[in-house]
Amino acid sequence: MVIYLIIAWRILSLVTWGRDCPDLPCDVVFDIEEWQAAWIVAHRSPPPDAPPPLGQMVRLIAGFGGFLGRKHDGHPGPKAIWEGMQKVRAFAIALEAGRAAYFNDG
């Protein structure tokens, strides 16, 4: 039960911070592996050197959860961010594993 409260708190904070503080760098709330993996999957290109803005990353991650981001859609909600974060966590695990395999092959 407690783990669900922690997850709900993180999702709600992403909803709120993404809307109220969109210009913060995204590494304030995302691990480097999370935002880089999300960027790589979404853009099919290497991530930028500097973390993108939080508002941009929240919308990108919500897109993995079904948020369309049309002109009049408003801000992403908790369901889209939750579903997107599940996918992003899997992307981050894959990125970490790929980096470990690449650097351990020598």
Side-chain angles (χ1 to χ4, degrees):
M1 178 73 161
V2 172
I3 192 76
Y4 291 121
L5 292 174
I6 295 168
I7 293 169
W9 173 82
R10 184 169 189 208
I11 298 304
L12 185 58
S13 68
L14 288 174
V15 170
T16 304
W17 284 34
R19 178 181 47 232
D20 296 342
C21 308
D23 297 326
L24 282 176
C26 70
D27 63 351
V28 169
V29 293
F30 293 112
D31 293 337
I32 190 167
E33 290 84 8
E34 289 175 331
W35 75 261
Q36 286 185 346
W39 184 276
I40 291 168
V41 171
H43 295 288
R44 305 283 193 254
S45 66
D49 293 331
L54 181 59
Q56 179 183 357
M57 283 308 297
V58 167
R59 286 180 162 277
L60 186 145
I61 289 169
F64 295 134
F67 179 71
L68 299 176
R70 296 172 295 201
K71 191 173 186 178
H72 297 289
D73 280 350
H75 297 283
K79 183 178 180 193
I81 293 174
W82 162 245
E83 291 179 5
M85 281 301 296
Q86 290 179 32
K87 293 176 182 169
V88 167
R89 194 64 225 147
F91 301 155
I93 290 168
L95 180 64
E96 290 173 15
R99 285 180 176 167
Y102 177 77
F103 289 115
N104 288 335
D105 279 345

